[in-house]
């Protein structure tokens, strides 16, 4: 049985206690395929020590040197996209094409990091007072850390470490223990790209590793993506220990369909947004809000398209949706469908009990479509994180906006319409951080920042883009005078003013 080790100071590390491991499953077969080490405080400390040692020279390296590494790393991600995609698929369960898609979206952040020379330019003000100039620049924080979820083992970490490293920080990543191999593969690519040892480190593990990161005095900032309860815990603990925190939480994303929408177009995109990655993504569409007379026609098309989704192993050609990541996730999702039926929802398409020939022990469940869901039902209130789409019916666009605004989450939303007036009203009035107009999954490009509102973002620090630059650096403002020897400026005891 293969053991997946930590990556510390440029090489695999067996850890302080090699006996502490957890299983890594192949979700398509249900079989254990590896063991992963579980880090404790000593392993986190070893990674931080290596990162701190590397920070002194890396932070003083030229911007040209840092961007050269990023350009090389970006090229290696292109060359190894297929291999990395298959590694992700084998441990997460998503299709290889879907895994390659997340690598591409993560690579966009690397490309943004390649262009930091322009973004990091400071400002200069000449002669703010006689003989006095002011300029500013930004400096890295030091050792920073990322704690990332299972659903995007490549993309979500890539939202963090390229910007952190390109701005001169060193990084400790704690990926999900459910699909840990992608992180080690990325570490090897960084090394091939010329990144010095210790700049990027990986420690695997569960809550013990998380707590060690949140409390370690050598870590200056923590980035987190996961569920809202854990995001609140991370924010509370890390800020209490003097750290900056990015903490992105859960979601309940609504897609509103107006009567003037092209129902075939809308239903096709909602189906992909709901069932892609088996619904295991924070930007998944989990609620379709059908407005007025759009409802019956929309449900008819959604029913047909849900039944057309091809479910199977992630590495099988033509597969649209793979298994869920664990047996527990499969049981939770299927129980949620049963609960919805008991609470009065109509189960239009039932994905429970799906068996795939040759993979009978895999963690598969098919797409489920629920109609006549109300806001009091668990299927609406809970983030199911699985291939379940709930249809809620309302009378007007204003009702749809009020419904979304009353929800505790505010990550992403979408509107399908042919009306520019409706689209403008929707995007201005809805209390959500990322909005799509006829776009089902509005994940912004890397040069914008990613982050929701309300319980989807704890604190006020989104990831990547301009906010990522600000998060991983701190400003210095320099006021300087170079007096002429023959025109000395007298010192004064009053508070200085410009003149």
């Amino acid at each position: 049985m293969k053991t997946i080790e930590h990556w510390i100071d440029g090489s695999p590390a067996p850890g302080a206690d090699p006996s502490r491991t957890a299983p890594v499953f192949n979700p398509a077969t249900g079989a254990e395929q590896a063991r992963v080490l579980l880090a404790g405080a000593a392993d986190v400390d070893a990674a931080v020590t290596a990162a701190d040692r590397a920070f002194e020279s890396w932070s003083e390296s030229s911007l040209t040197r840092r961007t050269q590494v990023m350009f090389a790393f970006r090229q290696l991600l292109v060359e190894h996209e297929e291999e990395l995609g298959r590694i992700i698929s084998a441990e997460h369960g998503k299709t290889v094409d879907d895994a390659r898609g997340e690598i591409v979206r993560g690579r966009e952040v690397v490309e943004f990091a390649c262009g930091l020379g322009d973004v990091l330019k400071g400002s200069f003000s000449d002669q703010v007072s006689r003989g006095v100039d002011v300029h500013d620049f930004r400096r890295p924080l030091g050792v920073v850390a990322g704690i990332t979820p299972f659903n995007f083992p490549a993309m979500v970490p890539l939202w963090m470490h390229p910007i952190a490293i390109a701005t001169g920080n060193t990084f400790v990543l704690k990926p999900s223990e459910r699909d840990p191999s992608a992180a080690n593969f990325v570490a090897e690519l960084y090394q091939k790209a010329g990144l010095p040892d210790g700049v990027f480190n990986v420690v695997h593990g569960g809550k013990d590793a998380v707590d060690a990161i949140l409390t370690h005095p050598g870590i200056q900032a923590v980035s987190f993506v996961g569920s809202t309860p854990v995001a609140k815990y991370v924010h509370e603990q890390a800020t209490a220990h003097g750290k900056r925190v990015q903490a992105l939480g859960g979601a309940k994303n609504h897609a509103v369909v107006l009567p003037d929408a092209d129902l075939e177009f809308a239903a096709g995109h909602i189906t992909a947004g709901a069932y892609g990655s088996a619904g295991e993504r924070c930007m998944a569409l989990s609620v379709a809000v059908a407005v007025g007379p759009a409802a019956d026609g929309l449900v008819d098309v959604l029913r047909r398209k849900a039944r057309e989704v091809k479910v199977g192993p992630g590495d099988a050609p033509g597969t649209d949706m793979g298994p869920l990541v664990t047996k527990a996730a499969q049981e939770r999702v299927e129980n949620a469908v049963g609960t919805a039926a008991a609470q009065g929802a109509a189960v239009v398409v039932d994905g429970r009990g799906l068996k795939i020939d040759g993979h009978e022990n895999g963690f598969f469940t098919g797409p489920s479509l629920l109609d006549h869901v109300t806001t009091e039902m668990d299927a609406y209130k809970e983030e199911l994180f699985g291939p379940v789409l709930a249809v809620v019916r309302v009378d007007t666009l204003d009702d749809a906006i009020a419904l979304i605004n009353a929800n505790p989450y505010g990550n992403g939303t979408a509107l399908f319409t042919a009306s520019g007036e409706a689209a403008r009203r929707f995007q201005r009035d809805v209390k959500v951080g990322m909005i799509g107009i006829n776009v089902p999954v509005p994940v912004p490009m890397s040069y914008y920042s990613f982050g929701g509102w309300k319980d989807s973002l704890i604190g006020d620090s989104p990831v990547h883009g301009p906010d990522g630059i600000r998060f991983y650096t701190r400003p210095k403002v320099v006021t300087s005078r170079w007096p002429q020897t023959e025109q000395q400026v007298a010192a004064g005891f009053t508070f200085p003013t410009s003149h």
Side-chain angles (χ1 to χ4, degrees):
M1 183 69 65
K2 180 178 74 170
T3 298
I4 300 165
E5 298 182 315
H6 312 303
W7 179 277
I8 298 175
D9 206 16
S11 62
D17 185 357
S19 67
R20 295 187 70 238
T21 63
V24 178
F25 292 97
N26 181 331
T29 64
E32 182 179 335
Q33 58 181 332
R35 306 290 297 184
V36 61
L37 292 177
L38 298 178
D43 302 306
V44 170
D45 187 64
V48 173
T49 298
D52 187 59
R53 186 167 53 244
F55 176 73
E56 182 175 353
S57 59
W58 181 248
S59 63
E60 292 301 322
S61 63
S62 68
L63 184 58
T64 298
R65 167 67 176 141
R66 299 199 298 269
T67 54
Q68 284 174 341
V69 170
M70 284 297 149
F71 273 111
F73 177 58
R74 184 257 177 208
Q75 183 58 34
L76 288 168
L77 284 173
V78 172
E79 294 172 1
H80 294 275
E81 181 182 297
E82 179 73 18
E83 184 179 359
L84 180 54
R86 291 189 177 277
I87 289 171
I88 294 169
S89 177
E91 291 184 349
H92 175 278
K94 66 176 65 178
T95 69
V96 174
D97 284 345
D98 191 20
R100 292 175 62 190
E102 76 160 278
I103 296 165
V104 171
R105 292 308 305 265
R107 196 172 70 222
E108 291 170 0
V109 181
V110 181
E111 292 163 358
F112 176 69
C114 289
L116 288 192
D118 183 66
V119 179
L120 287 176
K121 286 190 301 187
S123 59
F124 182 90
S125 296
D126 174 67
Q127 197 78 350
V128 298
S129 185
R130 285 192 299 172
V132 177
D133 307 322
V134 177
H135 72 277
D136 67 346
F137 58 98
R138 304 192 72 87
R139 293 290 292 154
L141 304 179
V143 180
V144 298
I147 302 168
T148 57
F150 74 87
N151 57 330
F152 289 100
M155 184 184 73
V156 171
L158 284 166
W159 285 353
M160 303 171 184
H161 53 72
I163 295 176
I165 290 170
T167 52
N169 300 278
T170 54
F171 203 89
V172 176
L173 173 63
K174 204 299 288 182
S176 171
E177 64 275 24
R178 298 178 188 174
D179 43 11
S181 294
N184 287 33
F185 190 84
V186 166
E188 294 176 11
L189 295 187
Y190 263 133
Q191 189 174 65
K192 292 177 182 177
L195 190 70
D197 294 345
V199 176
F200 181 74
N201 306 273
V202 180
V203 290
H204 300 290
K207 189 175 185 300
D208 288 347
V210 169
D211 286 339
I213 288 170
L214 300 182
T215 59
H216 197 291
I219 294 175
Q220 306 303 312
V222 176
S223 301
F224 172 84
V225 175
S227 69
T228 292
V230 181
K232 290 180 177 179
Y233 174 80
V234 167
H235 189 271
E236 177 184 325
Q237 292 297 314
T239 54
H241 287 83
K243 307 183 193 311
R244 290 187 179 185
V245 184
Q246 290 172 325
L248 278 67
K252 198 70 178 179
N253 305 313
H254 302 70
V256 178
V257 182
L258 296 186
D260 66 357
D262 181 329
L263 295 186
E264 191 74 21
F265 174 88
H269 284 276
I270 291 171
T271 298
Y275 305 131
S277 293
E280 293 176 318
R281 50 190 181 194
C282 67
M283 291 295 284
L285 291 177
S286 54
V287 181
V289 183
V291 178
D296 289 342
L298 177 65
V299 171
D300 286 343
V301 184
L302 287 173
R303 177 193 292 112
R304 168 168 51 85
K305 291 189 176 295
R307 288 173 173 168
E308 292 172 352
V309 174
K310 184 176 180 182
V311 182
D315 59 356
T319 296
D320 298 314
M321 190 182 95
L324 293 170
V325 69
T326 62
K327 182 69 173 177
Q330 177 196 37
E331 292 173 348
R332 174 177 48 79
V333 168
E334 296 198 346
N335 288 338
V337 175
T339 300
Q343 293 177 342
V347 182
V348 179
V349 179
D350 192 341
R352 293 174 293 177
L354 178 67
K355 296 296 181 183
I356 303 298
D357 290 343
H359 294 78
E360 287 78 9
N361 294 322
F363 310 140
F364 292 96
T365 188
S368 289
L369 175 64
L370 310 175
D371 193 10
H372 298 287
V373 174
T374 69
T375 56
E376 291 78 29
M377 294 179 183
D378 291 345
Y380 178 80
K381 292 189 294 184
E382 297 177 2
E383 184 184 21
L384 301 181
F385 228 61
V388 180
L389 176 63
V391 178
V392 177
R393 298 176 179 230
V394 299
D395 293 330
T396 67
L397 175 59
D398 288 338
D399 291 337
I401 293 172
L403 176 81
I404 295 169
N405 289 349
N407 193 279
Y409 296 111
N411 208 42
T413 189
L415 175 69
F416 290 88
T417 183
S419 169
E421 183 277 330
R424 189 171 190 275
R425 178 151 51 103
F426 180 80
Q427 67 193 29
R428 288 180 60 81
D429 292 350
V430 76
K431 296 178 181 177
V432 175
M434 294 172 284
I435 300 164
I437 305 299
N438 298 313
V439 174
V441 183
V443 177
M445 297 297 290
S446 61
Y447 36 85
Y448 287 86
S449 296
F450 180 105
W453 286 16
K454 299 185 284 187
D455 279 355
S456 294
L457 178 67
I458 311 305
D460 59 356
S461 295
V463 296
H464 66 64
D467 286 288
I469 300 294
R470 286 189 287 269
F471 181 76
Y472 290 121
T473 59
R474 57 169 59 98
K476 282 188 174 182
V477 182
V478 179
T479 303
S480 60
R481 172 190 285 136
W482 299 99
Q484 299 177 15
T485 56
E486 65 275 13
Q487 293 181 348
Q488 290 290 337
V489 178
F493 288 89
T494 60
F495 194 82
T497 60
S498 299
H499 61 280

